[in-house]
Amino acid sequence: MSSHNSANDPRRPNKIHRYTPPSSTGPLEDPTPEYMNLLGMIFSMFGLMMKVKWCAWAAVYCSFISFANSRASEDAKQLLSSFMLSISAVVMTYLQNPQPMTPPW
Amino acid sequence: MKATILLGLLLVLPSVWAGQANPHGADLDDNDFAEFEEIDEEEAAFEQPPQQQQQQQQQQQQQKQFGEQPKKVVMAPVDDDEEEDGVVEDEDEFEHLDDEEFEGIDQDTVNLRKGKDQTPPPLEITKIPLHLRTNWDSFYLEMLMLAGLAVYFLNFIAGKTKNSKLATAWFDAHKELLHKEFSIVGDDGQSKEPTENHLLKESEHTYSLWCSGRVCCEGMLVELKLLKRQDLINTISRMLSPKSDQILIKVTMEETEMDSFVFAVAQKKVASKLLKEQTDLNFFCAEKKGIDKGNIPPSLQVLSEIGEATSAVFDKTFCAVLNRYESNIEFIHFSDQYSGPKQQDQDTPTTLPETKKVLLFCFNVGDKGRTTVEDMDGMKELLQLVIHCIDKVKRIKLTKEAKMKAEKNRQRMHESYLKQTHSQRQEAAQLRREEKRRTEKERIMNEEDPDKQRKLEVGVALFYLIFIF
């Protein structure tokens, strides 16, 4: 290893620092996935309890948005579970009441 | 004579009336059964299939009506009552028969027999809930929802691919340059030995690259903060207010290689935002006058602590690049006291935030969101600027006065920080004292020997006296 080649070659193999993933800076980063996750859960619970169809559909949308915005470090299991919950909310609401949704207008 | 004639007439009349009474021939007198005879006939009629009966029943009904009316007109009230009773009875009887004994007869026939209309009443279809399989058309809202989901999914796939393409394009364009400058390019920090060429995917819109192994800097983290093309809502909101992809480069300098100064150059709006948010800029670069701007474009604003250092940074190459890539530069921030943005939501922490010596560069790529692969190629010069700055900063040596000024500023910061946390530290000390008192008391309570107890009490009292004063 020619250490006197420093005039031309700025590389220093002996000075390597390993990559440490920066500790999550918390609320500074975009909180969208967490909010959407929570909102999705609330909507699906509400849709199931009150048998309101549009709530269940909104839950599906929320969980999808949360999935799209999620970071790689986040747990895939939680996303999948919220997705399954929202889909089950939709299915249950339709089983209980097979009427189509009526638009509010 | 006349009286006998009258009597005779009176006797004859009822029999004449009676003769007209029952169209079926049965005498009224005889007659508790006249109506029942009618009923019997009708009952027999029921045994035939209902369709055939309809005609018969119609006829019977008509006859009964016609038959009943003259009765009502001619006869005395007494008879009317009977007839009415008879009529009601008939109806009741028929109703009873209809509902319970004869299943399968249409509504139509029942109505007819009740004598409502000559024409069959309009068929009323009872409302049953619409079923999914029978009536697709009415589910148009559901179809809309599903279509929306499909659109979102397609957009997700498209955005994800585009972002990934842009990131790899950037990496490919800059790989050579990075390999020349750094010993390790793209370490992922996972394995025991440093690995190479890992462009880490933080999320669908954020990629990062860690380079290390160079003189005077610990390492360089490049973060590609691309637009959220995978999120449809974000895409739509970007149509209203366009934003650009950003490349954030953070070079961590070695402790000995950077003199103490804080400096930033940024777009005007960004500069004011940084001034408010970043702790170090906020404290050190508060004064805006007397800054030698040098030859930089007018849209960029300079924030500086030590004028000398700033002028040293603004050398020819730096200014040239700045002028050429004016729109691409979001901000450039050098600091030896970098500790990140101010923490607004917490109380002032009990310890000074950790500071690092960093050089931060934030570049905008492309033209407000419409980034292409070629734009990534064009970023090479800016990376070269980064390398140039690293070397430059290493060579900057402040004069004595500048050093003293810098030292004073830092001292000031430390003091102000201590003042802020003074009350907090007092509280902490108070708590500690309380704790000690409590433990002492406990020890006294637990002590069995009364002598020892007394001694301890005295000792504790003395201790408190000394402590308070």
Side-chain angles (χ1 to χ4, degrees):
Chain A
M1 218 46 107
S2 46
S3 51
H4 287 291
N5 203 9
S6 51
N8 294 329
D9 188 7
R11 292 178 289 180
R12 296 286 177 271
N14 52 332
K15 283 190 179 179
I16 292 176
H17 293 258
R18 296 306 306 280
Y19 174 60
T20 49
S23 57
S24 66
T25 48
L28 298 172
E29 286 173 19
D30 175 32
T32 305
E34 279 92 25
Y35 280 157
M36 282 293 139
N37 204 8
L38 187 65
L39 205 61
M41 295 238 182
I42 291 177
F43 268 136
S44 66
M45 281 289 117
F46 204 71
L48 266 177
M49 302 295 173
M50 303 293 145
K51 302 189 182 120
V52 182
K53 288 202 175 87
W54 58 264
C55 273
W57 283 111
V60 177
Y61 271 98
C62 280
S63 77
F64 213 136
I65 295 174
S66 167
F67 166 72
N69 283 310
S70 67
R71 293 176 270 275
S73 53
E74 273 177 25
D75 210 2
K77 280 180 279 192
Q78 187 179 8
L79 292 168
L80 199 63
S81 77
S82 84
F83 205 60
M84 290 292 120
L85 180 67
S86 59
I87 291 189
S88 73
V90 170
V91 169
M92 289 302 294
T93 338
Y94 274 93
L95 279 178
Q96 286 163 357
N97 182 9
Q99 300 265 23
M101 281 202 291
T102 52
W105 53 85
Chain B
M1 269 307 259
K2 280 186 189 171
T4 48
I5 295 168
L6 270 172
L7 264 173
L9 273 172
L10 275 171
L11 281 168
V12 168
L13 276 172
S15 62
V16 172
W17 287 338
Q20 289 175 350
N22 199 327
H24 293 278
D27 267 347
L28 265 184
D29 294 332
D30 229 326
N31 202 12
D32 290 320
F33 300 101
E35 283 86 9
F36 288 107
E37 274 172 32
E38 267 186 80
I39 292 168
D40 284 340
E41 281 178 20
E42 304 229 9
E43 255 186 313
F46 274 120
E47 254 128 50
Q48 301 164 25
Q51 282 85 19
Q52 289 176 4
Q53 280 175 43
Q54 269 188 34
Q55 285 269 312
Q56 290 174 1
Q57 283 157 13
Q58 264 183 333
Q59 284 169 3
Q60 281 166 3
Q61 283 282 37
Q62 286 172 15
Q63 281 170 1
K64 214 172 59 165
Q65 282 173 359
F66 290 144
E68 281 167 5
Q69 282 166 6
K71 272 189 229 170
K72 283 188 181 164
V73 168
V74 169
M75 288 163 88
V78 177
D79 290 327
D80 272 350
D81 290 336
E82 277 185 48
E83 286 303 317
E84 281 173 8
D85 286 343
V87 169
V88 169
E89 271 179 12
D90 283 348
E91 299 264 334
D92 285 340
E93 296 258 297
F94 289 145
E95 277 175 12
H96 164 76
L97 288 167
D98 285 349
D99 295 339
E100 291 168 37
E101 294 194 19
F102 301 94
E103 299 166 87
I105 294 184
D106 295 1
Q107 297 263 131
D108 302 5
T109 46
V110 174
N111 285 339
L112 274 176
R113 290 183 52 258
K114 287 193 179 145
K116 285 184 186 156
D117 269 337
Q118 297 302 324
T119 54
L123 285 168
E124 288 180 45
I125 302 172
T126 44
K127 276 198 154 190
I128 46 172
L130 290 164
H131 199 264
L132 193 60
R133 281 185 227 108
T134 54
N135 199 356
W136 292 108
D137 289 342
S138 55
F139 285 89
Y140 71 95
L141 262 182
E142 278 75 13
M143 296 299 156
L144 265 175
M145 291 291 207
L146 281 172
L149 270 178
V151 166
Y152 192 91
F153 184 66
L154 286 171
N155 175 267
F156 173 74
I157 298 291
K160 177 179 138 122
T161 343
K162 176 111 200 266
N163 276 354
S164 159
K165 248 197 287 186
L166 284 173
T168 38
W170 180 90
F171 188 42
D172 290 334
H174 294 76
K175 218 193 285 205
E176 212 182 293
L177 177 60
L178 287 169
H179 274 288
K180 257 199 298 175
E181 295 293 333
F182 290 91
S183 173
I184 276 276
V185 172
D187 182 23
D188 66 351
Q190 303 286 333
S191 46
K192 266 204 234 169
E193 292 297 320
T195 50
E196 287 246 344
N197 293 331
H198 285 265
L199 185 65
L200 301 169
K201 187 168 158 183
E202 307 280 325
S203 78
E204 297 294 343
H205 59 277
T206 321
Y207 291 81
S208 64
L209 184 77
W210 172 253
C211 310
S212 183
R214 194 185 194 277
V215 291
C216 64
C217 68
E218 281 183 13
M220 177 171 91
L221 181 68
V222 181
E223 272 185 286
L224 300 172
K225 293 194 164 159
L226 304 169
L227 296 170
K228 284 192 186 180
R229 291 185 179 83
Q230 79 274 13
D231 182 15
L232 187 64
I233 296 177
N234 210 284
T235 316
I236 293 171
S237 70
R238 261 186 295 115
M239 289 185 197
L240 306 168
S241 68
K243 283 189 255 193
S244 315
D245 296 307
Q246 285 186 338
I247 299 181
L248 184 68
I249 301 179
K250 181 169 167 179
V251 182
T252 319
M253 300 295 283
E254 279 181 11
E255 286 302 320
T256 51
E257 298 288 350
M258 183 172 170
D259 258 358
S260 41
F261 70 97
V262 178
F263 154 80
V265 60
Q267 307 263 342
K268 288 231 162 63
K269 276 196 205 150
V270 181
S272 45
K273 196 166 73 105
L274 283 175
L275 196 58
K276 266 190 283 184
E277 279 179 10
Q278 304 287 333
T279 353
D280 52 348
L281 284 176
N282 195 340
F283 193 86
F284 292 107
C285 301
E287 35 184 85
K288 289 192 181 168
K289 304 177 204 167
I291 297 169
D292 175 20
K293 284 190 132 195
N295 198 12
I296 58 167
S299 67
L300 300 173
Q301 191 184 341
V302 180
L303 301 166
S304 156
E305 186 202 0
I306 314 278
E308 206 181 276
T310 316
S311 334
V313 173
F314 282 145
D315 63 354
K316 234 173 37 184
T317 357
F318 194 83
C319 294
V321 174
L322 247 60
N323 276 303
R324 204 149 7 118
Y325 290 93
E326 189 179 339
S327 59
N328 290 82
I329 302 207
E330 181 86 352
F331 68 82
I332 299 179
H333 177 186
F334 300 165
S335 171
D336 71 319
Q337 297 281 317
Y338 182 73
S339 58
K342 274 183 166 185
Q343 303 283 357
Q344 298 291 349
D345 45 350
Q346 342 168 307
D347 305 315
T348 9
T350 47
T351 53
L352 253 178
E354 222 180 271
T355 61
K356 282 196 285 202
K357 301 197 174 190
V358 294
L359 313 178
L360 283 167
F361 301 81
C362 183
F363 301 127
N364 293 327
V365 187
D367 174 32
K368 285 282 175 185
R370 285 184 293 272
T371 321
T372 59
V373 170
E374 287 75 31
D375 289 328
M376 288 299 184
D377 277 337
M379 293 280 116
K380 268 197 273 207
E381 278 221 32
L382 287 167
L383 190 61
Q384 278 166 346
L385 173 71
V386 171
I387 305 294
H388 168 85
C389 285
I390 296 175
D391 290 326
K392 191 70 206 264
V393 165
K394 174 182 145 190
R395 287 198 297 267
I396 291 179
K397 297 283 177 238
L398 297 175
T399 59
K400 233 168 148 202
E401 298 90 42
K403 262 210 192 106
M404 296 250 312
K405 186 176 169 196
E407 224 15 69
K408 232 185 350 174
N409 284 341
R410 274 143 194 75
Q411 196 64 24
R412 217 166 20 101
M413 173 161 205
H414 201 70
E415 279 171 9
S416 81
Y417 180 77
L418 284 176
K419 255 190 251 170
Q420 275 176 349
T421 59
H422 181 65
S423 56
Q424 268 194 330
R425 279 182 298 121
Q426 256 196 335
E427 255 185 59
Q430 183 77 16
L431 277 169
R432 262 180 275 133
R433 248 179 280 151
E434 289 293 329
E435 268 304 314
K436 260 198 206 149
R437 216 176 279 182
R438 230 175 289 142
T439 48
E440 286 294 331
K441 272 219 170 85
E442 273 181 40
R443 266 213 302 151
I444 294 171
M445 301 295 228
N446 292 339
E447 202 53 62
E448 288 171 8
D449 192 330
D451 280 331
K452 269 205 184 149
Q453 232 182 22
R454 245 181 284 130
K455 274 194 201 149
L456 272 173
E457 275 180 20
V458 170
V460 167
L462 272 174
F463 175 72
Y464 287 154
L465 279 170
I466 295 168
F467 203 72
I468 289 170
F469 295 113

